[in-house]
Amino acid sequence: MKRRQFAAALGAAPFLNLLPKVARAADGKPATIRISFPGAGTGGRPIVGESFPANAHLQRAIDDEFKADGIRIEWKHFPGAGPALNESFANGLTDFAFGHGDLPLIVGRSTGLRHKILMSASRGGDSYFVVPSGSTAKSLADIKGKRIATFKGTAGQLQTYRFIERFGLTDKDFKIISLDADSTLAALSTGDIDGALRTPFDLEARGVARRIHEILDDPFINRPGSVWVGEEFEKQYPEIVQRVVTRLIKVAYWSTLEENREKQLQLWSTSGTPYVDYKKGWERTPDLRRRINPLLDEYYQSSIQSSIEEIRKYKLIRRDVPFEGWLEPKYLNLALKELKLEDYWPQQGADGKVKVPGRKLG
Amino acid sequence: MKQKNWRRTALTASIAIAFAAQAQAQAQTAPETPQDDQATIDSKTPATKADIQGLRTDLENYKYDQSRSAERNRAQTTRATKIAGTVQLRASWQNPAQNAGVGNGANSGGTTFQAQPRNSSFDVAAVTLAFTGNLFRDYAEGKNLTYALGFAYASNQSGSPSTLTSATRTNGVSSPNGSQFNLTNAYLMYSFFPTNGGQEDEKGTLTFGQQLMPFGLETQAEEEVRPVITSAQFTSALNGINQRQIGLVYRGDNFVDVDYTNNYRTALVEYAFGVTNGSGTNKSDNNSKKDLIGRVVLTLPSDYNSWLRQVRLGASWYRGFNNLVNTTSNAVVRQSNSRVTGADLSWTHLPYSIAYEYAQAVDDSFTGAASTATVATPTFEKKARGQYINFAYTWGEQFLASSKSVAKYDDYWPMSYQSFLRIDSYDADVRATAVGDKTTITTLGLNAFFAETTKLQINLLIAHNDRPTAGYNANRPERSRGAQVQFQYGF
């Protein structure tokens, strides 16, 4: 190649079709579906647990769904959690989110990220505030003015703020530092922080930390996570979206069966989170449908609305968050109908209580 | 040692307790039924004392292996230290040939040339070695004291790219074999503001020691992040900013805004100001006056998703005092004033990025030959001016934090490419009567980032020189073309 030709080729490279857009197959299907989780396992391994979308990954359910079509599933697990998932989506690198926490989801929406919420990813659960085992603190009031850790920008930040408000304190009463989950563990072990919201069982068994407060099964401390699809992808591939949703609902159903409780607890513990944390964290949930519930019911909707108000109160967004048109329940409704699961899950009201009980289990 | 043993015992005990707790939890579950699957049966099967003993033995074996390996096979430092380095391997070609006796940018030299004009060369263009670490870690607020120590290789051999500013080591001049390994960075840095609070905290650090000067964009860029193989001409030509200096520099920012979409942080105002010797790298001050430097950068507050993300406007200023020397006797004849001012505008919104930078130096200079200069020799203010504009297009995920940190089992790194066009101009003396000193280099390039610390750079260059009074010659042709291919790897 002559030098001039080479130079021209070099200059033209940006304009060639070399860009990392999703490769599109000729038959109008995507060559790849990019599915992201706002988290990763201990030490950065690409596994998460504790939700039915996580089971869909662990069981390769979505991979199997599209195997015959030759569509590749690209799984992404972000140790940077919800904010990292937002960055990936903002740069056109994610099609689906399998469980996005309320804070990054809402902040992303306020700054122009366009997605359609398809279903609830998770809900409920207990919250515990732990301090290093050497601490003399007996209550949050005892560590007023000291360092507590949360991963800022994630749902955990709001959860922490809500938790401490229950004890008549605010975020201003503490030095709140930002640490990810692994670093929080390490900091508790070394006493570099004075407390954090954290599952306590393994830490207590190892003598690393102890809980000073717990709030059990409060629907207003833990807000639901969300499964969403990018608006552009949804417009272009509605059939693919339906297949993903239907497959996810199948997995959600499997995950609620008592006979599968142990299987999934053991699957989840491959993420590096100790089995005992999952075991004890879920033993107060005799009916798994209470926490593994994909519905976009009144509770889900009012939770998101409440989170928007809280985020405004904490000045974490500057703009309004358009709620209109954000939820797209048609895929979920069709999947529930096809799988004859319309009455399977309990519907919660805005007050968090069960409004319409789920189908009676045999 | 006692403490170590205590820790081990505590660790063993705590793990045993954990398993005992787990066993107890399992023992409390319902009895096994014929319908149970294996996972459920496993969950109902309590661990025995022998199971725990076996696990404890495994743990002791693991601890022994770790301890033995740490003592025998791992390098140790007094303080936590990060070791990093960069190596550049380059192949270059140019037409017309580089004339023997003229180094890259050098304008004088010896007379005994041991080379012929050359069209091409293979070079080790640069090697750096860096050590960084924390000397004092403030757990409460993160007001840490850190250090940096760096070294860089420079060839003794004539005509090497790394001898760019040496007039005595020109192409073909006899010189010793081997290389030098010079101190580059050597500083302490203290953070006056908390660094562990979160993105919304303002920053403020004081750096004492030998360091890059906070002037403009390219002067401060370390090797690993420079897009173009050869830096803009003015960065190696203007007094004061063309090399590291020894002194004190305070850097900080104010009016911080965080877009929690992806924890994107911008500070409306960033600034740096400092006082240095001004005499260059690894040198004591050579006069009684200190040099001053200042820089202010304004960043447009914007959301991460905004097209106005990363629009930055910077202004830099350097005030120095140089010694004017009689080059025959090497005696200092007088002190001169030196002022460098710069402005820069950049926009980085991947995949697009544009950077423009302008710098002008005003230096007192002898009106006549420096070789015969005396205290009575008049001086004038010589202005040198350089500027460049760089357009880049990046495709791939190299510069996205989420992609770089994405969880993977293997040695994953996002493959990325970056193409760019840079036009770089430098005029060493802007007077209309001063000719033969202005060069404009147009560079078209492609960078391929194919591993975490490794990139391949391809640059095509066309250099246009203005005409010397006596006309173009082999040392200064009207136009020259070149190609450079460089592998840069880091560790």
Side-chain angles (χ1 to χ4, degrees):
Chain A
M1 189 187 277
K2 289 184 177 174
R3 283 194 308 277
R4 280 184 185 172
Q5 288 171 317
F6 178 67
L10 206 60
F15 309 105
L16 300 177
N17 194 19
L18 294 172
L19 312 182
K21 291 174 182 168
V22 188
R24 310 292 177 195
D27 57 359
K29 289 177 186 166
T32 305
I33 301 173
R34 299 157 309 171
I35 302 173
S36 296
F37 284 97
T42 305
R45 69 188 84 175
I47 298 177
V48 291
E50 209 156 24
S51 71
F52 68 87
N55 288 344
H57 167 246
L58 291 162
Q59 296 175 334
R60 302 188 62 80
I62 309 293
D63 307 71
D64 291 345
E65 174 68 32
F66 294 101
K67 196 174 179 182
D69 302 86
I71 298 173
R72 194 172 73 88
I73 309 298
E74 189 179 330
W75 297 98
K76 301 183 183 196
H77 292 78
F78 294 113
L85 199 161
N86 274 338
E87 185 187 66
S88 176
F89 181 58
N91 287 281
L93 300 166
T94 283
D95 301 317
F96 286 88
F98 270 22
H100 211 183
D102 55 356
L103 175 57
L105 174 79
I106 291 164
V107 176
R109 175 84 170 170
S110 81
T111 59
L113 297 184
R114 288 288 166 260
H115 27 53
K116 293 282 188 188
I117 293 172
L118 300 170
M119 67 185 80
S120 170
S122 56
R123 60 180 65 184
D126 308 324
S127 304
Y128 307 87
F129 195 89
V130 300
V131 296
S133 52
S135 169
T136 55
K138 290 184 176 144
S139 72
L140 271 167
D142 294 338
I143 55 168
K144 207 171 162 184
K146 295 191 173 174
R147 293 156 297 168
I148 63 176
T150 186
F151 195 170
K152 288 188 177 178
T154 71
Q157 182 179 1
L158 277 185
Q159 194 189 346
T160 301
Y161 288 4
R162 288 181 200 123
F163 193 99
I164 57 183
E165 278 192 353
R166 288 294 176 87
F167 295 89
L169 299 162
T170 72
D171 58 308
K172 304 277 183 274
D173 291 319
F174 301 93
K175 283 178 192 160
I176 296 189
I177 66 171
S178 187
L179 292 178
D180 64 22
D182 278 357
S183 305
T184 300
L185 260 182
L188 278 169
S189 308
T190 54
D192 291 345
I193 56 171
D194 298 292
L197 219 55
R198 178 92 203 172
T199 308
F201 309 111
D202 175 62
L203 294 174
E204 287 178 342
R206 289 193 287 127
V208 168
R210 61 182 173 83
R211 81 193 91 167
I212 55 170
H213 294 298
E214 58 186 20
I215 298 178
L216 305 177
D217 203 21
D218 185 324
F220 301 109
I221 295 287
N222 280 330
R223 301 278 192 196
S226 304
V227 173
W228 54 254
V229 61
E231 264 188 19
E232 202 181 316
F233 190 95
E234 191 261 337
K235 266 185 206 156
Q236 205 169 349
Y237 305 113
E239 288 171 13
I240 299 289
V241 175
Q242 185 61 63
R243 286 174 64 186
V244 169
V245 169
T246 304
R247 194 63 186 234
L248 263 179
I249 296 302
K250 279 183 192 169
V251 175
Y253 173 73
W254 180 92
S255 307
T256 60
L257 300 179
E258 185 56 29
E259 69 209 49
N260 295 325
R261 177 189 288 260
E262 277 305 325
K263 270 192 208 112
Q264 65 184 327
L265 295 185
Q266 289 178 18
L267 272 177
W268 295 348
S269 64
T270 57
S271 68
T273 298
Y275 167 82
V276 67
D277 277 358
Y278 289 130
K279 177 80 177 171
K280 283 185 160 282
W282 283 75
E283 71 186 9
R284 295 186 64 261
T285 309
D287 184 350
L288 293 168
R289 293 179 300 174
R290 229 173 67 203
R291 292 174 67 183
I292 300 174
N293 185 336
L295 301 186
L296 298 172
D297 51 8
E298 273 179 28
Y299 165 68
Y300 175 87
Q301 297 186 31
S302 71
S303 282
I304 294 291
Q305 292 280 20
S306 303
S307 296
I308 292 171
E309 284 157 28
E310 286 171 332
I311 292 167
R312 274 217 196 92
K313 184 177 82 179
Y314 293 117
K315 296 189 172 82
L316 298 172
I317 49 174
R318 287 186 289 258
R319 300 200 190 91
D320 286 340
V321 184
F323 195 76
E324 196 68 31
W326 195 8
L327 273 54
E328 183 46 275
K330 71 180 182 189
Y331 300 103
L332 173 65
N333 292 339
L334 185 61
L336 293 172
K337 194 177 171 188
E338 278 179 5
L339 300 170
K340 297 186 174 34
L341 293 171
E342 290 124 305
D343 62 345
Y344 180 72
W345 275 282
Q347 293 177 37
Q348 286 172 269
D351 59 359
K353 291 178 180 157
V354 174
K355 193 176 173 186
V356 181
R359 184 193 299 171
K360 276 199 172 175
L361 300 176
Chain B
M1 193 56 143
K2 234 180 188 178
Q3 199 181 13
K4 219 176 188 180
N5 286 337
W6 178 84
R7 280 183 183 162
R8 280 184 188 176
T9 310
L11 180 67
T12 313
S14 64
I15 287 172
I17 290 166
F19 278 93
Q22 190 170 320
Q24 192 187 6
Q26 288 164 340
Q28 285 167 356
T29 55
E32 215 176 289
T33 65
Q35 294 81 29
D36 285 348
D37 62 4
Q38 189 56 48
T40 310
I41 293 168
D42 288 349
S43 76
K44 291 177 177 176
T45 309
T48 64
K49 203 170 176 183
D51 291 335
I52 295 171
Q53 191 57 47
L55 191 72
R56 189 179 285 164
T57 305
D58 283 347
L59 190 66
E60 287 302 325
N61 290 341
Y62 173 76
K63 278 160 47 186
Y64 172 77
D65 282 348
Q66 287 294 307
S67 163
R68 186 179 164 85
S69 167
E71 282 177 18
R72 294 163 60 100
N73 305 109
R74 290 183 210 157
Q76 294 186 358
T77 56
T78 306
R79 300 290 300 179
T81 299
K82 182 177 177 185
I83 304 171
T86 303
V87 177
Q88 292 177 344
L89 305 173
R90 187 184 300 174
S92 56
W93 167 90
Q94 70 178 71
N95 183 35
Q98 181 175 324
N99 198 26
V102 178
N104 301 314
N107 53 20
S108 63
T111 54
T112 311
F113 305 148
Q114 297 179 348
Q116 290 187 315
R118 69 177 191 204
N119 281 102
S120 63
S121 180
F122 296 115
D123 293 286
V124 178
V127 176
T128 66
L129 184 61
F131 302 85
T132 52
N134 224 331
L135 294 171
F136 170 74
R137 185 178 164 195
D138 172 18
Y139 289 101
E141 294 188 279
K143 293 178 180 175
N144 298 332
L145 179 66
T146 59
Y147 77 92
L149 174 64
F151 299 93
Y153 140 96
S155 173
N156 281 335
Q157 201 59 36
S158 54
S160 297
S162 52
T163 61
L164 191 67
T165 56
S166 169
T168 56
R169 284 179 272 143
T170 53
N171 186 22
V173 175
S174 176
S175 60
N177 291 327
S179 63
Q180 303 167 19
F181 207 55
N182 293 319
L183 182 69
T184 53
N185 287 330
Y187 60 76
L188 291 170
M189 184 165 75
Y190 180 71
S191 179
F192 287 93
F193 288 83
T195 58
N196 60 6
Q199 301 262 57
E200 54 277 8
D201 287 346
E202 293 176 340
K203 290 179 180 170
T205 59
L206 182 67
T207 310
F208 172 54
Q210 186 161 288
Q211 57 197 292
L212 287 167
M213 289 291 94
F215 188 100
L217 300 172
E218 193 144 324
T219 305
Q220 302 185 73
E222 296 282 358
E223 287 297 340
E224 57 267 34
V225 295
R226 284 184 184 158
V228 190
I229 291 175
T230 312
S231 296
Q233 296 171 85
F234 77 79
T235 62
S236 57
L238 302 184
N239 280 330
I241 66 162
N242 61 350
Q243 52 188 322
R244 285 173 172 82
Q245 301 284 357
I246 305 173
L248 280 163
V249 178
Y250 185 87
R251 294 172 174 85
D253 61 22
N254 289 114
F255 310 111
V256 173
D257 179 67
V258 178
D259 175 1
Y260 289 96
T261 303
N262 69 327
N263 289 345
Y264 167 66
R265 180 185 192 274
T266 50
L268 178 66
V269 182
E270 284 173 62
Y271 53 85
F273 51 86
V275 54
T276 72
N277 284 342
S279 48
T281 309
N282 300 321
K283 288 177 188 163
S284 299
D285 206 344
N286 58 3
N287 57 41
S288 60
K289 291 182 175 172
K290 289 283 178 280
D291 289 10
L292 303 171
I293 188 162
R295 174 166 170 77
V296 177
V297 182
L298 302 176
T299 305
L300 209 62
S302 71
D303 292 335
Y304 180 76
N305 291 318
S306 168
W307 276 98
L308 297 174
R309 179 177 92 210
Q310 287 279 70
V311 175
R312 290 159 63 86
L313 178 65
S316 307
W317 172 83
Y318 187 93
R319 174 84 164 93
F321 301 93
N322 297 322
N323 295 338
L324 288 179
V325 175
N326 178 311
T327 52
T328 307
S329 66
N330 283 330
V332 176
V333 174
R334 66 168 69 172
Q335 278 184 2
S336 75
N337 291 303
S338 175
R339 296 183 303 281
V340 189
T341 48
D344 52 88
L345 178 64
S346 62
W347 175 63
T348 307
H349 190 295
L350 295 175
Y352 308 102
S353 59
I354 299 172
Y356 170 75
E357 193 168 355
Y358 169 93
Q360 175 172 282
V362 180
D363 290 289
D364 291 343
S365 302
F366 290 126
T367 52
S371 56
T372 56
T374 66
V375 71
T377 305
T379 60
F380 73 104
E381 288 192 335
K382 190 180 91 169
K383 282 185 188 170
R385 190 177 295 153
Q387 55 189 324
Y388 73 84
I389 187 163
N390 194 84
F391 302 94
Y393 186 93
T394 304
W395 61 107
E397 302 166 35
Q398 163 84 14
F399 300 105
L400 291 179
S402 56
S403 294
K404 287 196 286 190
S405 63
V406 74
K408 293 279 176 184
Y409 287 120
D410 56 10
D411 186 20
Y412 167 81
W413 193 249
M415 184 82 183
S416 302
Y417 301 92
Q418 181 182 55
S419 65
F420 67 85
L421 173 70
R422 185 175 74 177
I423 301 164
D424 168 29
S425 171
Y426 176 66
D427 188 349
D429 187 341
V430 299
R431 289 176 300 168
T433 51
V435 292
D437 61 352
K438 182 178 179 184
T439 300
T440 301
I441 303 173
T442 304
T443 309
L444 186 64
L446 180 69
N447 297 323
F449 302 86
F450 53 87
E452 184 169 351
T453 55
T454 308
K455 66 180 175 182
L456 172 67
Q457 299 173 277
I458 303 169
N459 285 188
L460 301 177
L461 310 92
I462 299 175
H464 288 271
N465 295 314
D466 72 335
R467 190 173 187 277
T469 309
Y472 293 112
N473 56 50
N475 290 337
R476 193 169 177 80
E478 181 179 6
R479 191 167 74 157
S480 68
R481 297 186 190 88
Q484 297 175 325
V485 177
Q486 179 169 287
F487 260 109
Q488 178 174 303
Y489 68 86
F491 58 89

